[in-house]
Amino acid sequence: MTDAADLNYARAADLLADHRASIDRLDAILVYTLAERFKHTQSVGRLKARHDLPPSDPSREASQIERLERLALEADLDPEFARKFLTFVIAEVIRHHEHYQS
């Protein structure tokens, strides 16, 4: 390799390392944020169980999906991906709520 090619490769490797470090930090933020979200939804599930409320609220779920799709558009994220992600999270929340009902 030439000196210029070596410098370009080294710069690319540095940029790649920087991007990967950012991705790792963001992954940690996502995990801790999801954990915090589930702490709240589990409290909701226990509250619903105590008051004999249904584990799911389709109206609330639909409005949350619409809200997240709007946020995704604002954030330049594919709204279909955001919808699929929230649908997955909601299914897990409902599973937890059903567990508290039993």
Side-chain angles (χ1 to χ4, degrees):
M1 272 189 188
T2 66
D3 288 340
D6 287 343
L7 286 175
N8 285 337
Y9 181 83
R11 179 68 181 138
D14 288 344
L15 290 171
L16 183 60
D18 289 345
H19 285 301
R20 287 180 172 164
S22 291
I23 290 167
D24 291 349
R25 283 190 299 276
L26 291 166
D27 285 346
I29 290 168
L30 285 170
V31 167
Y32 280 95
T33 300
L34 282 170
E36 185 67 20
R37 187 186 195 287
F38 277 105
K39 287 175 189 171
H40 287 283
T41 61
Q42 288 169 357
S43 293
V44 167
R46 287 189 292 273
L47 181 66
K48 285 180 172 184
R50 272 196 305 273
H51 296 282
D52 200 30
L53 297 169
S56 69
D57 182 345
S59 175
R60 163 87 174 149
E61 293 155 18
S63 68
Q64 284 299 94
I65 289 170
E66 287 176 18
R67 179 178 163 271
L68 199 68
E69 287 174 334
R70 283 192 308 274
L71 289 171
L73 287 170
E74 292 171 11
D76 198 25
L77 179 68
D78 179 3
E80 177 67 14
F81 171 78
R83 184 191 59 74
K84 286 178 183 177
F85 176 75
L86 187 60
T87 299
F88 173 76
V89 169
I90 288 170
E92 186 66 12
V93 167
I94 291 169
R95 190 179 69 77
H96 291 172
H97 289 188
E98 288 169 343
H99 170 75
Y100 292 124
Q101 298 279 331
S102 57

